Amino acid sequence: TWLKNPSPPTAATPPHFSSPNTMNGHWRMSPLHCWLLALAWFGVGAPTAAACSIDPAIYVRLFENNMPMFQEIARLVQEAGAESVLDLGTGPGEPSTLIAKAMPKTKVIATDVQPAMIEKAKVRAHGLPNVEFGVASADDLSGYGSASVDAVTMCYVLMFVPDRARSLREVARVLKPRGRAYIAVWKRLGFMEVIQQALEALTGSA
């Protein structure tokens, strides 16, 4: 689940990307969670909409279900010994908080496109001096310099980014030589298809 950048990227030698992840085995969702997720996403648009459409007040009650993947990404970052980490789409603060706790000497920058998410992340990371926060879209990292971080994390975010290709180019740009990006995506989300069909039947719209 990582993109490795062995040398500064060029048009002739783009970085390699691999992301074989699936939701299977990582989420355990009750009917209530499914309904809350439907409200969070379908209340404002289809699940392919930009991440800025997700209601932070609802999502904060759901994102704990992603903890197995947050923990795995934090483990991989710790194993690599990264000294600086840029977390894209941190939501209410993960995996940035886990990484900051496990690696107190590592600088962690937690970002999200929604200011309300960042406020929740600040509460979660309260008391951790090695965490910084910023509002940024994953496809526009102009606020961060080229070759400036050892690792980029993006957990269940990329599929919501409006311009995915640009996002990956930006990730490659901010990574230092031999830096790595740890990116997890949903391979299939069947239960959301069922929810969408039910809501379409109720509302009479496709």
Side-chain angles (χ1 to χ4, degrees):
T1 61
W2 47 268
L3 177 155
K4 187 175 181 180
N5 187 20
S7 60
T10 66
T13 58
H16 173 69
F17 172 65
S18 174
S19 185
N21 287 299
T22 175
M23 287 291 291
N24 296 339
H26 294 301
W27 275 43
R28 299 290 186 272
M29 299 197 74
S30 68
L32 174 60
H33 282 152
C34 289
W35 177 242
L36 287 171
L37 196 57
L39 288 175
W41 285 339
F42 291 103
V44 292
T48 54
C52 58
S53 297
I54 298 176
D55 186 334
I58 295 176
Y59 181 61
V60 73
R61 300 172 61 182
L62 300 172
F63 94 122
E64 293 286 351
N65 292 286
N66 288 331
M67 192 56 68
M69 184 55 71
F70 294 148
Q71 292 170 338
E72 177 63 10
I73 288 178
R75 183 189 68 80
L76 291 170
V77 171
Q78 186 175 13
E79 187 178 87
E83 295 181 356
S84 55
V85 179
L86 177 62
D87 184 24
L88 304 178
T90 194
E94 295 296 358
S96 53
T97 301
L98 285 172
I99 294 169
K101 287 181 178 178
M103 307 175 71
K105 294 183 179 180
T106 293
K107 176 183 177 181
V108 180
I109 307 170
T111 71
D112 200 279
V113 71
Q114 290 182 270
M117 289 288 195
I118 290 299
E119 291 306 310
K120 293 184 181 300
K122 288 179 179 179
V123 173
R124 190 174 186 88
H126 179 71
L128 294 174
N130 56 328
V131 184
E132 298 179 3
F133 301 91
V135 176
S137 176
D139 58 3
D140 181 6
L141 304 180
S142 55
Y144 302 97
S146 299
S148 59
V149 295
D150 296 309
V152 173
T153 57
M154 196 188 314
C155 190
Y156 301 142
V157 174
L158 185 62
M159 59 279 194
F160 296 113
V161 178
D163 191 337
R164 298 182 185 93
R166 181 183 177 188
S167 177
L168 293 177
R169 288 194 298 269
E170 281 287 85
V171 167
R173 180 184 64 81
V174 301
L175 282 172
K176 294 178 181 179
R178 304 194 68 80
R180 292 183 177 182
Y182 302 84
I183 303 173
V185 299
W186 293 338
K187 192 173 183 180
R188 184 176 179 274
L189 200 58
F191 73 86
M192 289 303 299
E193 297 170 7
V194 175
I195 293 174
Q196 184 173 19
Q197 292 168 6
L199 289 173
E200 287 173 356
L202 286 171
T203 61
S205 61

